Amino acid sequence: MRMYSKQAKKTFVRILFLRDQSLATKLLVYSALLVVVPMCVIGIISYQRAANVLERESRQFSWQIIEQVNTHVEYYVNDFEISILKILNSTNMNNYIKMKSQEEIDQSHIRDIVEQELRNAAYSRSDISNITIVLDGIETIDTIDNNFKHPENAVVNEYWYSTIPYTSEPKIFTRTLQWGDRKEQVISIARRLVSPMTLKPIGMIVMDVNFKRFQEIAEKVNIGHFGSLYIIDSEGHYVYHPDLFELGNSAHFEKLNDILNGENNSFVTSRGPKELLTYSHSSFLGWTLVTSIPYSELIQGTEYIRRTIASIVMITLAIAYLLGFGFVGSIVRPVRRLYQYMRRVESGDFTGHIVVESKDEIGMLVHGFNTMVSRLQGLMDEIYFSKLRETELALRHREIELKALQSQMNPHFLYNTLETIRGMALEHSQDDISSITSSMARLLRYNLKNKGQKVALEEEMRYAEIYLRIQKYRFEHRLVYEMNIPEWAKQQLVPKFSIQPVVENSIIHGIEPVLSTIKITISAIRNMEDNSFIVRIQDTGVGISEQTLQNIRRSLEQRDAMEDGTNIGIINVHRRIRLLFGECYGISIESKVEHGVVVDIKLPLVATVKLQSGGPSKHVHDHAG
């Protein structure tokens, strides 16, 4: 995680400072930023403050409009309440509401008189659409023309009828009057009728007012170019809406519950097109007046500020670039010439020099580079050939070291002598002696005639098995060996004579000190993580003590392979592996006393060798032959 954070930080710094861009690009970009960023910051701050001022002024303006409209509407509705009280206080109306049955009304002929009074009251004002008197359980009277067929008990069955308070307080709501195919949205002011005898509710008077006056009030209100005025009742239904078809429908304002139940306030909507909503409650009417102004209209004044700032930024940026091109040219041009000459020096051309045109830092840099190139040319003449000789000597020394290491593995007896012994054994019918000498001769031939430093693992295992077969004659049943070499490993490259010395150590130190049967297992294991494989030689011998094991490990890392001593074969193999393949390869040893030894030879996995998925070839030997 720390490495990832550090790498991310480096990447961020590289991008921020444009380290992969040319010097001209850096100068032009940063000069532009020095102009654009301050101007943009000033513009954003000015724009934000102007928007806040305009929003604050719009809120105050909306409050003033709402208060004016609220006052007009309250006065307007109050006039109708006065008209209702005049009707209820008339003598004929008092006599009418005292009637207890339809027969009594018919006998008194008072119905026509009451209807006429209601018509007179309705006709006295053009904005009164209808006046309705309801005597519960008896009859209903209204002033709508004769074409209107009022169903019996239609008013009583409407939803609002039961919501009118029994305290004789008026309630204002919207509803739709319909006669024939004609519909009219009206505002209704309803009030309970109370019997003067029992003081109990006996009916209802309803005055329906059309929206002419409300429209006149709304049209006189100037709420910007696209602002609107709405009136909603306590249950969230539109009492007034610019679209009359919405009257009586539920309002869909954002935060409607806060508008209906909260304190007078204003806020900017967050859903859909942004709007400034300002609302105020009328305790007299039980209504809430709402004004809506598009937020884009509020901040139109800031457009001038934004255009002015943009124009200033563009003009200033153009001037900065005109000056910047000349400044950049005076810096970048000498640097580019210096870079081109450096490319020539990089390719080995030390001739010529750069003309110094100025005495500033770039001129000093050019002068110093010319001096450095001159000195480099002299030094190259002095050390070039000596360096070549040293390199050649080093390569020869490495080749000699490899040959010396290889020569330590060669047996010190002669191939021809073994062939003579084999002939003599066959002459006397000594097949075992003949087989041993034949195997030994094959080992000698492999060691003496193969001039390469690397061989295939399959070939190395073949001669390791010959060596084990020779040892099998010596130890008989005390030695058992097994070879598990997969098909993919057979063509992998290993140092010549790298397996037999390790096997020899297992026999000398694992079998010779004991009389029990010892098993030697040779296998190959692939490790795809670091593209390597391991040849593992494992025995079940007496093992190695901790102190001896530590000495061997120390020798593998530090001891010269040319020295004499115990385990020189393993150290020799380890040294040759590192010389041939690199320092990350070699031998590692694990052991515990009485639990045998495990020797791992780590080698690179050759990518060009075709790896096969077949299982390993497995050979187990417990007898000679």
Side-chain angles (χ1 to χ4, degrees), residues 340-356:
Q340 292 172 358
Y341 186 57
M342 289 176 63
R343 293 292 301 271
R344 291 172 54 189
V345 173
E346 183 181 358
S347 62
D349 183 5
F350 294 91
T351 61
H353 68 282
I354 309 174
V355 178
V356 180

Side-chain angles (χ1 to χ4, degrees), residues 484-503:
N484 300 322
I485 305 300
E487 289 295 326
W488 62 263
K490 290 183 178 180
Q491 297 304 315
Q492 294 297 322
L493 298 178
V494 299
K496 191 175 93 171
F497 257 80
S498 58
I499 306 298
Q500 183 269 336
V502 180
V503 174

Side-chain angles (χ1 to χ4, degrees), residues 3 70 82 85 155 253 260 292 295 363 428 431 436 438 470 483 487 501 506 548 569 590 593 606:
M3 292 180 63
N70 202 7
I82 294 173
L85 290 175
V155 176
F253 292 116
L260 295 176
S292 171
Y295 195 79
H428 293 84
D431 294 336
I436 292 173
S438 175
I470 295 172
M483 296 183 180
E487 289 295 326
S506 295
T548 304
E590 297 291 337
V593 177
V606 180

Side-chain angles (χ1 to χ4, degrees), residues 557-591:
E557 296 300 326
Q558 301 176 357
R559 189 173 178 178
D560 191 343
M562 305 293 288
E563 296 179 0
D564 295 329
T566 59
N567 299 298
I568 187 63
I570 292 181
I571 298 170
N572 185 302
V573 173
H574 178 74
R575 179 64 173 165
R576 285 195 296 125
I577 290 173
R578 289 201 167 183
L579 287 173
L580 291 171
F581 298 107
E583 294 295 322
C584 60
Y585 301 101
I587 292 178
S588 61
I589 302 177
E590 297 291 337
S591 177

